[in-house]
Amino acid sequence: MRRGEFITAGILAVLSIYIMWKSTELNIGYIKGEGPGGGAWPFWLSAIILICTALIMLNAARRTSPPSQSTEPVLDAEGRKMLVQVFGGIFVFVALIGIISMYGAMMCFLFYYLWFLGRHTLRLSLIISILTPVIFFFFFEAAMRITLPKGMRFTEPFFNMLNTFIY
């Protein structure tokens, strides 16, 4: 799996460099009275991804990550199982956005990822999976004035309650 780590990190590094380059076609700085330019978020998120890929390559080169210690060339049985579980979770996450909102889907995905896949404690999984969407709601709705998908009508009372803190 060590080779797979290098291949994946390399592909992600090339994609992040490309996105950084394309995002500079828009303003990546702060626009007075408006906020960040259209290219700011893609640029800086891609820069963070590029740093992460460098760390993945470093760990693979030093053989400090569990996948880099595997003798399989690309994916072993555990890696294939994890890949299916993660992509299955992402598929369900995307499917839930239109039903229970971006924030509800985020909460479900985080809980699944932390508790089921990450094997963290129930308490930690619940705290993070509940607080993160609430923080994101206030960040996007209040600070950025960006409305994310709210899902079906039965989620409106929850968002109306949170909106009372904004306005």
Side-chain angles (χ1 to χ4, degrees), residues 1 24 57 62 66 73 78 115 118 130-132 144 146 159:
M1 285 186 47
T24 58
M57 286 185 183
R62 294 185 340 194
E78 185 64 28
W115 192 62
I130 291 170
L131 283 180
T132 301
M144 300 299 295
I146 297 172
F159 293 111

Side-chain angles (χ1 to χ4, degrees), residues 137-151:
F137 176 82
F138 286 115
F139 175 75
F140 281 105
E141 301 284 331
M144 300 299 295
R145 303 275 186 218
I146 297 172
T147 302
L148 296 180
K150 296 287 194 310

Side-chain angles (χ1 to χ4, degrees), residues 36-52:
W41 292 111
F43 180 85
W44 291 110
L45 289 175
S46 296
I48 292 168
I49 291 171
L50 185 61
I51 292 167
C52 291

Side-chain angles (χ1 to χ4, degrees), residues 56-158:
I56 289 169
M57 286 185 183
L58 179 67
N59 284 336
R62 294 185 340 194
R63 293 187 182 267
T64 55
S65 65
S68 66
Q69 297 168 2
S70 172
T71 58
E72 291 289 324
V74 179
L75 275 178
D76 59 7
E78 185 64 28
R80 284 189 292 275
K81 178 183 167 191
M82 184 62 76
L83 191 66
V84 168
Q85 290 174 332
V86 170
F87 277 113
I90 291 171
F91 179 79
V92 171
F93 166 71
V94 171
L96 286 175
I97 290 172
I99 300 169
I100 60 172
S101 80
M102 175 65 96
Y103 305 107
M106 184 188 312
M107 182 177 68
C108 293
F109 179 75
L110 284 171
F111 183 76
Y112 164 77
Y113 205 89
L114 291 168
W115 192 62
F116 182 73
L117 296 182
R119 308 276 189 242
H120 293 281
T121 65
L122 181 61
R123 180 178 177 202
L124 177 70
S125 300
L126 284 172
I127 289 170
I128 291 174
S129 63
I130 291 170
L131 283 180
T132 301
V134 171
I135 292 167
F136 271 58
F137 176 82
F138 286 115
F139 175 75
F140 281 105
E141 301 284 331
M144 300 299 295
R145 303 275 186 218
I146 297 172
T147 302
L148 296 180
K150 296 287 194 310
M152 298 183 146
R153 289 189 117 8
F154 65 86
T155 62
E156 279 186 31
F158 176 72

